[in-house]
Amino acid sequence: PPVDFAKEESRQAMEAALQKVREQLGKHQRLVIGEEHHDTQEKLTSIDPSQKDRVVGTTASATAEQAEQAVAIAKAALGKWAATSVEERADYLRRAAQAMRDQFFDLAALEVYECGKPWREATGDICEAIDFCEYYAAAAIDLMGGSPTGSEAAIEDDARNFDAPGEDNRLTYLPRGVAAVIAPWNFPLAILTGMTTAALATGNTVIMKPAEQSPIIAARLMEIFIEIGLPPGVVNYLPGRGETVGAALVEHPDVALIAFTGSRPVGLAINRTAAEVSASSNNMVKRVIAEMGGKNAIIVDSDADLDEAVAGVVKSAFGYSGQKCSACSRAIVLDSVYDQFLDRLVEAARSLPVGPADDPKTIVGPVIDSQSFDRIQSYIEVGRQEGREVLAADVGLLAKQGYFIGPHIFVDVSPNARIAQEEIFGPMLAVIHAADLDEALDIANATDYALTGGLFSRSPAHIDRGMVEYRVGNLYVNRNITGALVGRQPFGGFRMSGIGSKAGGPDYLLQFVVPRTITENTMRRGFAPPELES
Ligand code: NAD
């Protein structure tokens, strides 16, 4: 469950962990390939976005040759791991979940420093990582046993009753092989853990390639896998540059599956490369799961409860500084409530405390790095051309210390404006007029993406229409649009938001396996003589 910071013991645990972790920052992490730890000449330096001069840690930066080595090791480990029973594999995942519970606040504290996640965001990410371990452990047991088809499964009066006496049929699943897991920094433990454990539970071996901005929390995950006794080579840790080690993994003919979460350009490039490599190989067609960006909207209907709508938009737009794929970056507001909603929205957003992520009162922390900072600043300039700036929260002296940008709101934005169409990934919201629900739904659907969306309305007829016509992967009615929970809100989008089925949902594991049907003729004609039985 989420941590309740209203309880004193939770606050004390977090404070203590922050102090402990802060004192231990700055260590160096090497690559892990099988049983060996390797160092490299080039290093990655992970810094605290709340305080630019604080080094969270350094890591080796894997080369293309090391990617090659890791794939060979993962391939060698595959046979034994795939033959390990699914119950045993699930047990490793549950032990990993327990290890995360045991060091819960230390992991969260590390994310506070490495990714600028405020307390609730950081602890939420650890909860989600634990949920993924537990969920995929159970889901793999359900899936991997396979299921009878034809006779046993058939219902008597069902048209699909293909019962054949004297024949047993079974649908089963095999692991795909070596999986490259390429992860983003914004849910640095949860997403990396989710993709990795899904691959492991289904019998694949894994090479983890964390984002350049969050390799230290990923190193902790690798340590957990070692601590729980996962056989060497089953998971390998390969931090490094996306364009070098990431690309080398994608291109490798022995990588059967690429589980990627990140930006649209990189996801599409991976999909293209995987197809090209598959075309020139006689080995396999690579499977790509690519979860990508969003340009998510919340519609505020004329009869919406504005107290709820303001709170929902503010939380969705500015939580973790808008750096969630699910974040709201467009509010589409019906004319009849436009002015009233805006007045409240602006004041609510203005009141959000901006500050370093380790300060418990912070809601809006820093953005991840200098590149993000520059990109968002340039979009703010664009916003000034494309709309009316009604909020540009000043961050004062914090600007010297870290990558801080306060909440920004632009109103009267055209639905086709760049700030209404391009994923910005920062604390910036475009507010758009709509005459009625028809127009609001048209605007909401008119982007390249289809990830999350929200509707605040008190009209049952409008809610029904939203449920049918609002084309997004995760639709939220009368609540905020971020914070999907594993199992409860299986998560992921379509169109340019991704190819893949719903992390934390019942179909997710199917992408990590190949289906196989086994048919046995059970009408034996005689028996083998005993001397031939071994
Ligand atoms: P990114 O695409 O820059 O990087 C993601 C990963 O890809 C990193 O590990 C990076 O090193 C690697 N990479 C970069 N170039 C590569 C290449 N040529 N070949 C192989 N790998 C390469 O994304 P990011 O900035 O880390 O994350 C933010 C993005 O992720 C946003 O667009 C956000 O919407 C998206 N996201 C989507 C979801 C989802 O579930 N749909 C979840 C979280 C984040």
Side-chain angles (χ1 to χ4, degrees):
V3 177
D4 180 1
F5 283 115
K7 291 192 176 137
E8 192 177 358
E9 66 263 28
S10 304
R11 294 197 299 276
Q12 280 172 352
M14 191 69 185
E15 289 284 7
L18 284 165
Q19 186 179 347
K20 177 177 149 198
V21 168
R22 192 165 57 234
E23 284 163 5
Q24 294 168 355
L25 294 179
K27 291 193 187 132
H28 182 67
Q29 307 291 340
R30 292 174 295 165
L31 316 177
V32 181
I33 303 177
E35 271 175 303
E36 292 181 7
H37 290 64
H38 296 262
D39 218 343
T40 56
Q41 206 129 47
E42 199 200 332
K43 311 254 180 292
L44 295 182
T45 303
S46 172
I47 61 148
D48 177 355
S50 301
Q51 196 175 317
K52 303 186 246 201
D53 57 2
R54 181 187 277 148
V55 173
V56 174
T58 56
T59 70
S61 180
T63 60
E65 293 72 47
Q66 281 155 334
E68 178 93 40
Q69 236 178 311
V71 174
I73 293 282
K75 195 178 170 191
L78 190 59
K80 211 162 161 203
W81 183 245
T84 302
S85 75
V86 64
E87 287 78 12
E88 204 177 320
R89 292 197 303 255
D91 203 46
Y92 281 112
L93 265 53
R94 295 193 175 118
R95 271 185 268 161
Q98 190 52 46
M100 289 178 197
R101 283 187 201 101
D102 294 344
Q103 46 193 291
F104 184 89
F105 286 102
D106 290 357
L107 293 169
L110 186 52
E111 287 197 7
V112 168
Y113 292 120
E114 186 164 46
C115 297
K117 281 207 168 217
W119 286 27
R120 283 184 181 77
E121 303 286 346
T123 48
D125 193 57
I126 315 303
C127 293
E128 189 176 356
I130 294 168
D131 286 348
F132 275 133
C133 294
E134 296 283 356
Y135 184 88
Y136 293 140
I141 292 174
D142 288 349
L143 178 73
M144 297 303 279
S147 52
T149 52
S151 52
E152 275 181 68
I155 305 161
E156 226 159 85
D157 292 333
D158 191 309
R160 291 164 297 171
N161 187 345
F162 301 122
D163 186 10
E167 187 179 274
D168 271 356
N169 292 288
R170 197 164 185 81
L171 180 62
T172 63
Y173 298 96
L174 292 178
R176 286 186 173 268
V178 175
V181 168
I182 302 179
W185 49 265
N186 68 335
F187 291 91
L189 188 68
I191 293 182
L192 182 65
T193 302
M195 295 192 288
T196 300
T197 52
L200 292 178
T202 42
N204 305 278
T205 54
V206 174
I207 297 156
M208 294 198 296
K209 206 312 267 170
E212 289 87 329
Q213 298 89 339
S214 58
I216 305 298
I217 184 80
R220 284 297 304 125
L221 178 60
M222 187 67 225
E223 278 169 31
I224 287 173
F225 286 136
I226 295 171
E227 277 160 30
I228 61 164
L230 204 65
V234 169
V235 176
N236 305 276
Y237 165 69
L238 234 57
R241 309 244 159 243
E243 310 79 54
T244 45
V245 61
L249 290 170
V250 170
E251 285 163 20
H252 199 294
D254 287 338
V255 169
L257 168 75
I258 300 141
F260 167 84
T261 306
S263 63
R264 167 180 167 177
V266 175
L268 292 179
I270 287 176
N271 199 37
R272 185 182 57 231
T273 307
E276 282 165 6
V277 175
S278 302
S280 60
S281 118
N282 51 8
N283 191 3
M284 65 184 113
V285 182
K286 285 174 189 283
R287 177 66 179 244
V288 177
I289 304 163
E291 305 292 349
M292 307 187 289
K295 188 68 194 174
N296 315 302
I298 293 180
I299 295 176
V300 181
D301 200 357
S302 51
D303 63 358
D305 178 333
L306 293 188
D307 292 340
E308 295 278 321
V310 165
V313 171
V314 165
K315 186 167 188 203
S316 308
F318 301 115
Y320 193 35
S321 304
Q323 302 175 107
K324 302 184 187 183
C325 49
S326 52
C328 169
S329 57
R330 299 179 295 153
I332 304 168
V333 186
L334 267 69
D335 285 337
S336 53
V337 286
Y338 193 84
D339 292 334
Q340 204 186 350
F341 174 77
L342 268 191
D343 288 347
R344 293 204 213 169
L345 176 78
V346 170
E347 292 317 309
R350 198 195 304 281
S351 74
L352 294 174
V354 181
D358 62 354
D359 184 336
K361 75 168 179 297
T362 293
I363 300 287
V364 181
V367 300
I368 190 71
D369 59 13
S370 64
Q371 248 184 315
S372 270
F373 182 86
D374 293 345
R375 188 190 61 245
I376 298 162
Q377 290 293 0
S378 71
Y379 272 112
I380 290 173
E381 289 307 318
V382 174
R384 289 180 180 142
Q385 312 298 320
E386 292 185 330
R388 191 158 53 85
E389 189 179 62
V390 292
L391 179 67
D394 183 26
V395 300
L397 292 175
L398 283 170
K400 288 210 166 81
Q401 174 186 328
Y403 302 113
F404 290 93
I405 301 180
H408 280 65
I409 300 179
F410 296 88
V411 301
D412 305 341
V413 176
S414 146
N416 302 320
R418 283 183 61 200
I419 64 163
Q421 289 291 329
E422 298 172 18
E423 187 183 46
I424 299 170
F425 228 53
M428 217 177 130
L429 177 71
V431 184
I432 304 171
H433 276 277
D436 51 25
L437 187 68
D438 289 321
E439 192 186 4
L441 284 166
D442 284 347
I443 295 169
N445 287 330
T447 72
D448 298 345
Y449 298 96
L451 190 49
T452 66
L455 169 63
F456 281 91
S457 176
R458 283 189 289 194
S459 150
H462 285 189
I463 292 172
D464 285 349
R465 278 195 61 194
M467 287 183 180
V468 175
E469 295 174 40
Y470 207 149
R471 293 182 47 78
V472 290
N474 285 64
L475 177 67
Y476 297 91
V477 179
N478 290 324
R479 56 152 281 181
N480 61 299
I481 65 169
T482 56
L485 293 174
V486 172
R488 198 176 294 172
Q489 287 110 10
F491 185 79
F494 53 97
R495 300 188 64 211
M496 283 298 166
S497 295
I499 37 168
S501 181
K502 298 290 187 194
D507 304 336
Y508 191 69
L509 292 184
L510 285 172
Q511 307 169 107
F512 291 77
V513 292
V514 282
R516 201 165 65 122
T517 303
I518 299 173
T519 299
E520 183 187 358
N521 175 356
T522 52
M523 300 282 280
R524 288 184 185 222
R525 290 174 178 81
F527 293 92
E531 60 272 23
L532 292 183
E533 296 265 332
S534 59

